[in-house]
Amino acid sequence: MSEKTFHLRNGRVGVLFAQTGEQLPAIVHWGADLGALDADDLGAATALVRPGPAPSSPDARTLPSLSPEYSRGHAGTPGVVVSRTEAAGSWSPQWRTESVVCDGTELRVRASDEALGIDLEARFVLEPGGLLRVRHELRNAGDRPVDVRSVTVTLPVAGVAEELLDLTGRWGRERAPQRRRFGHGRWSRPSRRGRTGHDASIVLAAGTPGFDFATGEVWAVHLAWSGDHDVFAERGPDPYALIGGAELLGPAEVVLAAGESYRTPWLLAAWSDAGLDGISARFHDWFRGRPAHPTSPRPVTLNTWEATYYDHDRARLSQLVKTAAGVGVERFVLDDGWFRGRRDDAHGLGDWQVDAEVWPDGLADLIEEVHDHGMEFGLWVEPEMISPDSDLARAHPDWVLADGDRTPPSWRHQQVLDLSNPDAYAHVRDQLVALVTEYDIAALKWDHNRDLIDAGHGGRPAVHRQTLAAYRLMAEVRRARPGLEIESCASGGARVDAGVAEVTDRFWPSDCNDPVERAMIQRWTSLLVPPELLGSHVGPEVSHTTGRHTGLDLRAVTALFGSMGIEWDLTDLAPDQLERLAAWISAYRSHRDLLHSGRVFRTGGDDPGLLVHGVVAADHGEALVALVPLRTTPEVTTLPLRIPGLSAERRYRIDRVLAAEPGGRVQPWPWPDGLVAPGSVLTRSGVVIPWALPQSAHLIHLVAVPDDLPDDSTPHDPPMPAPTQAPNQGENS
Ligand code: GLA
């Protein structure tokens, strides 16, 4: 039988496909670029991985195809399962390839199963940054309906990938890593929440044992979808080792009429031989290359939630506006509580008009005041929800998303608005469009504060349609006000994924602003999402979600490594605190170009006591590094830590940007400010992280020194303002 090969290469990654006869191609390699191989070499590469005969096996053993087929003996998860109830036995396809088109970075395979009357198109796009995007499309080519039960996208990983890492979590502590051995069986992370989920594994990685941020060969996937989904890793003795993902569909949730198609969400797949930092670099490059990726400087945002909650006292808000502008805030967002009947979380969702009792003159004068202070205005909404106690629910009780007459359990006293209902959809869209056209609104914080439970429409599961309708709604509202930005929030970080990222501009990763927790939440969320899309706010001294006391510097240094903002009532801060906060905001503003374009690195294990992370410019010209001892560690100080990503050919000047420790004292450092060192020394030999109190915060800026200028002619960082706290009297070293 004839053998054909197809080879994709881009961004130092290679994907090699082999096709036998008319069978569906199989992926024989996804990983490091194998180089420019001629036909003989490609033939050898595929011959070398073809499974030979073995006892108690099919007589002709094959590799799992790009959509593994049960009908050819794949005993793991099948690529496609359909149901044609009118044709008994027609559920498991065996594909015949119609065409393969390969241009070197993209491959499209068309295949059909004539008996079943379905077609498949598989699309693989290898992006310039080496990220592989895969999507399958299933078409009903017959004349009887097809119930799509599952279309799974899988990719093979090398046998050396013997360890798995995925993410879990809850409200206030999203994206905690967990690891296990990648043995035989299926490790699956399904999410049936109708939103991405606090516990969703937004990245699932398989790698060489012990892989960490800097080392190891790693294969990782993310499914770009906010509805029900599964990501999984599966290994069998046949042998195969696959990672992949699929949308989870209920019975008859997607039934294709003749000629209709179902497309899977994109599976984003990253390979790296430089650990998890290499994985996130590929995800970040891809996000940044999207045409709609925000390119304007990410504004310092004050969100009113933890400052005022539902108490929209006009005078207090004015004071907050003034104080915010004074410390350098650029966008002022009015959170929950502004619309009809919304005095607490039990009422009003669905009635998206300004509450005349609280806001007798509407929002216009607050917005004007915000603008007069040089800031943009943003507003909180939660359009996919409905409070049973709302005019909307009273007028249209049938607009609640429910399976028949059974009302889903209440959650935060609210239900979900059935967006599959065209009237409900049009109603909420018109209200939102009216809002963003009447008022000069630069941004919406778009919330989604409950899981979908028992979500049905017309007697069929409805999460698929609800998710697509939510995306369409966001897109329509954005079209109504060009330039409008949307922040995706869902009780904190329960809707963080690359699907909703297509219609939004920022994520709210968590309601927890406690920097000790938040540092970890950001560390793991940024595995997928670049820092410029991660809202990251300085909260109050006593965290509203954990009760932990932390210093301003620690809170600020944590917030600085995202899209920085504030979630704090600034109106009762002492002048020295405001001054210190302003200094941090100014540091963010002067470094945000670097922070939002450079390559992120982290050191230490999954949950280190000493947090060291930073961003290195794409051209290696500068880096900003945070040194944050979250806890005490058994070492007195560190053995030298390497700062990755600097150029070995250049020399760097090292400046401390801001530094303070709880109690206000600042330890003397072993090296003087302004010391110049070769990049080779910093990346290969390393630096000792000075002794510091737990929960102190240090930031260093490294700038390449121009070769032809004396060292001291490089621009220096502004001098450090004094820390706010009184000097610690009790030194006992
Ligand atoms: C959710 C969000 C919060 C805040 C509240 C308002 O919990 O995550 O940031 O907006 O809703 O009700």
Side-chain angles (χ1 to χ4, degrees):
M1 239 189 287
S2 72
E3 273 280 356
K4 285 191 203 135
T5 53
F6 306 94
H7 197 190
L8 304 181
R9 300 175 61 209
N10 216 352
R12 297 194 312 108
V13 175
V15 189
L16 179 59
F17 299 80
Q19 186 192 7
T20 306
E22 291 185 324
Q23 290 181 23
L24 206 55
I27 299 169
V28 298
H29 171 80
W30 164 43
D33 183 8
L34 301 173
L37 304 183
D38 64 19
D40 288 346
D41 292 342
L42 289 170
T46 55
L48 285 168
V49 296
R50 198 176 299 133
S56 195
S57 297
D59 294 334
R61 292 171 71 219
T62 55
L63 292 170
S65 72
L66 58 83
S67 178
E69 293 147 277
Y70 174 61
S71 61
R72 293 195 189 279
H74 179 66
T77 302
V80 170
V81 178
V82 293
S83 164
R84 286 204 111 130
T85 44
E86 295 154 40
S90 300
W91 56 276
S92 163
Q94 185 170 101
W95 300 109
R96 193 173 61 80
T97 304
E98 306 276 353
S99 67
V100 182
V101 179
C102 179
D103 70 2
T105 56
E106 181 168 346
L107 181 97
R108 274 175 196 252
V109 181
R110 289 209 173 84
S112 63
D113 179 321
E114 274 161 31
L116 263 173
I118 51 173
D119 293 347
L120 180 76
E121 181 179 271
R123 204 171 149 204
F124 296 79
V125 184
L126 189 53
E127 299 284 350
L131 188 86
L132 179 65
R133 294 192 301 131
V134 191
R135 173 154 95 183
H136 294 184
E137 180 170 341
L138 193 74
R139 198 176 71 90
N140 182 355
D143 49 13
R144 290 163 299 149
V146 173
D147 180 359
V148 181
R149 302 315 319 278
S150 64
V151 183
T152 303
V153 180
T154 48
L155 292 166
V157 301
V160 291
E162 290 182 339
E163 187 169 306
L164 295 176
L165 176 139
D166 62 278
L167 305 172
T168 182
R170 59 162 170 90
W171 174 81
R173 184 62 160 96
E174 293 84 344
R175 287 167 284 283
Q178 50 180 8
R179 291 187 187 248
R180 71 205 59 245
R181 201 175 92 77
F182 187 10
H184 288 169
R186 192 176 198 272
W187 177 244
S188 156
R189 293 301 320 284
S191 175
R192 283 189 185 79
R193 301 186 178 280
R195 55 179 179 177
T196 325
H198 289 113
D199 60 339
S201 191
I202 60 168
V203 174
L204 180 141
T208 46
F211 67 88
D212 61 13
F213 285 105
T215 63
E217 188 171 1
V218 187
W219 291 257
V221 289
H222 164 74
L223 194 72
W225 185 242
S226 314
D228 292 351
H229 68 277
D230 186 24
V231 287
F232 65 91
E234 190 170 358
R235 200 177 186 110
D238 301 14
Y240 59 88
L242 302 167
I243 54 174
E247 180 181 7
L248 289 174
L249 296 170
E253 182 156 11
V254 173
V255 177
L256 303 178
E260 283 184 346
S261 294
Y262 165 76
R263 282 179 168 176
T264 66
W266 285 102
L267 185 80
L268 308 185
W271 166 86
S272 169
D273 56 3
L276 292 168
D277 286 348
I279 293 293
S280 62
R282 295 210 197 276
F283 283 129
H284 295 180
D285 277 359
W286 173 76
F287 269 102
R288 288 172 175 166
R290 300 170 309 147
H293 193 70
T295 48
S296 57
R298 298 294 76 209
V300 180
T301 298
L302 182 135
N303 187 61
T304 60
W305 181 237
E306 289 197 8
T308 65
Y309 291 105
Y310 295 101
D311 180 12
H312 285 196
D313 178 81
R314 188 65 187 79
R316 189 159 161 224
L317 283 167
S318 275
Q319 190 56 35
L320 194 55
V321 167
K322 213 162 79 191
T323 318
V327 294
V329 168
E330 297 161 309
R331 178 179 288 168
F332 186 94
V333 179
L334 185 66
D335 206 283
D336 197 356
W338 58 269
F339 49 97
R340 245 187 18 236
R342 189 67 166 178
R343 301 281 61 77
D344 57 35
D345 62 8
H347 315 275
L349 294 170
D351 298 339
W352 300 110
Q353 292 103 24
V354 179
D355 190 308
E357 272 178 39
V358 185
W359 295 93
D361 304 319
L363 295 175
D365 71 317
L366 175 73
I367 296 178
E368 200 181 316
E369 200 176 319
V370 167
H371 290 162
D372 288 348
H373 281 85
M375 299 182 289
E376 296 176 336
F377 180 76
L379 194 63
W380 181 94
V381 289
E382 196 182 0
E384 298 146 83
M385 298 292 152
I386 178 165
S387 301
D389 184 10
S390 64
D391 291 346
L392 186 66
R394 278 183 286 274
H396 300 284
D398 56 319
W399 286 6
V400 170
L401 186 66
D403 191 21
D405 296 335
R406 197 165 61 198
T407 306
S410 175
W411 181 312
R412 209 192 193 210
H413 318 289
Q414 66 195 56
Q415 292 289 343
V416 180
L417 184 67
D418 181 0
L419 297 179
S420 304
N421 178 324
D423 295 334
Y425 178 92
H427 175 86
V428 68
R429 180 205 51 214
D430 293 349
Q431 284 197 317
L432 291 172
V433 168
L435 201 62
V436 299
T437 44
E438 179 181 350
Y439 291 113
D440 188 351
I441 293 175
L444 292 176
K445 177 178 176 186
W446 188 301
D447 218 328
H448 185 290
N449 274 311
R450 63 162 293 163
D451 285 1
L452 272 52
I453 300 177
D454 208 20
H457 176 94
R460 284 155 62 168
V463 173
H464 175 76
R465 275 192 288 174
Q466 183 78 9
T467 309
L468 290 177
Y471 290 168
R472 197 166 75 244
L473 186 60
M474 291 179 192
E476 282 202 62
V477 174
R478 291 218 300 191
R479 269 201 300 280
R481 184 176 190 93
L484 177 80
E485 294 196 354
I486 296 181
E487 175 174 46
S488 170
C489 172
S491 316
R495 187 153 62 185
V496 174
D497 63 79
V500 76
E502 285 188 31
V503 281
T504 56
D505 309 274
R506 190 184 205 242
F507 292 108
W508 182 232
S510 181
D511 278 343
C512 180
N513 299 304
D514 171 342
V516 177
E517 310 296 330
R518 186 70 176 219
M520 288 301 117
I521 294 166
Q522 285 176 198
R523 172 173 263 235
W524 291 102
T525 307
S526 70
L527 200 52
L528 174 72
V529 181
E532 62 272 25
L533 301 187
L534 287 183
S536 177
H537 293 184
V538 180
E541 183 183 335
V542 182
S543 163
H544 288 202
T545 53
T546 65
R548 185 184 274 128
H549 289 243
T550 53
L552 172 55
D553 295 301
L554 178 65
R555 280 152 32 225
V557 87
T558 308
L560 182 126
F561 280 86
S563 168
M564 188 180 188
I566 296 168
E567 196 88 14
W568 189 10
D569 183 1
L570 303 181
T571 58
D572 56 7
L573 294 198
D576 60 342
Q577 280 203 307
L578 288 173
E579 197 188 318
R580 186 74 177 165
L581 179 60
W584 279 107
I585 288 174
S586 151
Y588 165 77
R589 285 167 60 159
S590 50
H591 293 291
R592 70 182 148 190
D593 284 354
L594 162 65
L595 287 164
H596 297 167
S597 64
R599 180 173 167 147
V600 176
F601 75 88
R602 311 85 170 167
T603 70
D606 291 355
D607 187 11
L610 170 66
L611 202 65
V612 180
H613 62 98
V615 175
V616 182
D619 67 359
H620 313 286
E622 57 173 335
L624 198 64
V625 182
L627 316 170
V628 180
L630 285 179
R631 304 186 291 268
T632 58
T633 53
E635 291 83 26
V636 181
T637 58
T638 63
L639 286 166
L641 282 177
R642 297 163 173 177
I643 300 179
L646 302 175
S647 163
E649 277 80 53
R650 296 164 91 170
R651 302 167 74 235
Y652 294 84
R653 180 190 161 88
I654 312 170
D655 283 301
R656 278 198 287 174
V657 179
L658 287 159
E661 306 199 7
R665 66 182 168 180
V666 179
Q667 297 295 326
W669 277 31
W671 69 78
D673 252 7
L675 181 73
V676 173
S680 58
V681 169
L682 295 162
T683 52
R684 292 175 190 159
S685 170
V687 299
V688 163
I689 305 303
W691 188 87
L693 287 174
Q695 299 187 7
S696 55
H698 307 268
L699 193 59
I700 58 172
H701 185 213
L702 300 99
V703 193
V705 181
D707 289 338
D708 49 349
L709 292 176
D711 293 351
D712 59 1
S713 64
T714 9
H716 292 197
D717 284 289
M720 289 190 290
T724 53
Q725 297 95 334
N728 187 332
Q729 304 301 319
E731 293 235 15
N732 56 5
S733 45

